[in-house]
Every structure is written in structure tokens, then in C-alpha cells.
Amino acid sequence: MAESNRAYHGDAGRIFAARAGADGLNALHERPAVLTLIGDVDGLDVADLGCGAGHLAAILSTSGARVTGVEGSSALAQIATHAAPAAAIVHHDLDLPLTFLADDSQDGVVCALVIHHLDDRQRFLGEVRRILRPGGWLVLSTTHPTADWGYFGGSYFDERWVTRALGEATMEYRHMTMSTVINEIIDAGFTVERMVEPQPIEAMRALAPERYERLRTDPIFVVVRARADK
Ligand SMILES: C[S@@+](CC[C@H](N)C(=O)[O-])C[C@H]1O[C@@H](n2cnc3c(N)ncnc32)[C@H](O)[C@@H]1O
């Protein structure tokens, strides 16, 4: 696969894999909120789109789901294959159709911190709806629009590509308003069931007390659960 998308190629992937492990923002803040909105997955077919290093794929397959993880970085797809041995990990660009996943084949789709990297989010969400069974769920997380606004300044309403450091590497993503995040899901044929702006969990208070206090007042992620109307 030509690696021309915004996936975390090479060093960016390896840096992310290390950071997304045990005690970072992903593990202690965003992932618990995502897992709460996903709920019980025992016996379900679940696609983890943009599965990164396979942290969620490993948890979901250990919890009884049949997981297909899709990842655009070959470095991360390799790491995920080892981290989540029971999951089927596919190296694929999410800006392209998910031809290897049949219509109505999934009970659930999780897309954690990925949608803001994609070129054509409406087409992608259309693919998510296509592969979901009627009534299937989508749990999607993204950066909190006000956190990006606070960091980059300028107009909150100026939707644009922004770049942030990822250790020695960089990542590029789209700053979106909250209404764009929510309305694109609705426009793709979903009913939004729940939206969460996560508060820090107790485990973070002991491990990173300053970060815990900051996250109590400054949201940095938003997580949405939606149902496919079909
Ligand atoms: C912030 S990481 C999140 C990874 C994982 N979902 C998690 O929660 O740990 C974003 C992921 O999206 C992947 N990604 C970005 N653009 C992509 C694309 N066009 N196709 C496939 N994966 C992509 C990156 O390589 C990276 O693994």
C-alpha cells in the first residue's frame, strides 16, 4: 500500500505505540471513556478502524469479540498483530473503501482518535454505516474542538489542517467545530445516542496529579455513541 495518508508511519507509529501504553492520556483518559460507551462485546463482530498499536483490539478480543483491526501505518499494523493476536489486523488506508468488510457484517465499529486524520469523512462514515448491521453501533472519539482552539488560537470556526508534535515526529489533523463532529455523524445516517466529554479517572490522580487537575477543568477529548439507522 502506498503510505501517503496521515497514518502514523515509521517513527511516528513507534512513538505513538509506546505512548498509548499503560499510563498515558490514551490509556487513562480516552480509552476508558470509549470502552464505557462500547459496553459488552461478548460474541459480537467489531471493527476497530484505525486500530493503532492494537490496544483496544486486544481488550475487545479478550472480552469475547471477533475483532477486525484496520490500520494505515505498516509499523503500527505490525505492532497490533502482536499485541492483539486473536484479532485480524489489516493494513489499509481508511481513505479508501473497506472492500474486505461485507455489507451488514459488523455489530459494532470503534473509531478512536482517527476521523480527524481522514480526507473524506462523509465517505468514510458511509462505509461505516454500510458494514454495520441494522441498529449496529459506532463509538467514535476525536480531539475536543475547544482544546484545539485553545492550543492553536485563531477562530474556533476556521476548520483547517493543523500540525502537532508527536515526540520527534509530527501528526497532521483537521480542527473541526463540535457541530461538524456531531452533524457529520447524523448526516451519514446515524442516530446519536450519547456524547461524553470525559473527566479524568481516579487512577490518573495518583499517577499524574497535575494532569488530573487540569483535565477536571479542560476537556481534551469527545466520545460519541451512535446507532446505524437502516
Ligand atoms: C491517535 S492514533 C489512535 C489509534 C487507536 N485507535 C487508539 O485509540 O489507540 C490514530 C491512528 O489513526 C491511524 N490513521 C490515520 N490516518 C489513517 C488512514 N488514512 N488510514 C488508516 N489509518 C489511519 C494512525 O496511523 C494511528 O494509528
Side-chain angles (χ1 to χ4, degrees), residues 105-168:
S105 61
Q106 305 297 306
D107 298 296
V109 166
V110 57
C111 183
L113 300 177
V114 178
I115 191 124
H116 45 263
H117 292 301
L118 302 183
D119 276 329
D120 188 345
R121 297 182 303 275
Q122 278 310 115
R123 196 203 47 72
F124 169 75
L125 288 168
E127 277 292 271
V128 172
R129 186 174 177 280
R130 176 185 69 74
I131 66 173
L132 280 170
R133 300 193 170 111
W137 51 263
L138 164 66
V139 171
L140 179 149
S141 66
T142 187
T143 60
H144 198 290
T146 63
D148 293 331
W149 180 40
Y151 185 82
F152 293 105
S155 166
Y156 170 78
F157 295 102
D158 179 15
E159 301 196 329
R160 61 203 187 272
W161 292 104
V162 292
T163 304
R164 275 186 97 144
L166 181 58
E168 311 284 287

Side-chain angles (χ1 to χ4, degrees), residues 18-71:
R19 289 193 169 190
D23 60 0
L25 275 176
N26 294 72
L28 288 182
H29 192 49
E30 184 262 358
R31 201 175 305 143
V34 165
L35 286 167
T36 299
L37 283 199
I38 289 177
D40 185 14
V41 293
D42 192 17
L44 302 187
D45 292 301
V46 177
D48 178 358
L49 302 183
C51 66
H55 292 105
L56 271 172
I59 294 169
L60 296 173
S61 47
T62 304
S63 306
R66 289 175 294 279
V67 179
T68 304
V70 182
E71 172 52 47

Side-chain angles (χ1 to χ4, degrees), residues 24-38 112-113 139-147 178 181-182 194-202 204 211-225:
L25 275 176
N26 294 72
L28 288 182
H29 192 49
E30 184 262 358
R31 201 175 305 143
V34 165
L35 286 167
T36 299
L37 283 199
I38 289 177
L113 300 177
V139 171
L140 179 149
S141 66
T142 187
T143 60
H144 198 290
T146 63
M178 188 68 88
V181 172
I182 299 298
R194 198 90 191 147
M195 181 182 116
V196 174
E197 295 161 290
Q199 280 283 303
I201 61 172
E202 275 308 302
M204 185 176 279
R211 180 175 272 174
Y212 176 89
E213 289 306 328
R214 202 169 59 251
L215 290 171
R216 278 165 58 85
T217 57
D218 301 6
I220 59 168
F221 296 121
V222 56
V223 190
V224 179
R225 179 176 168 117

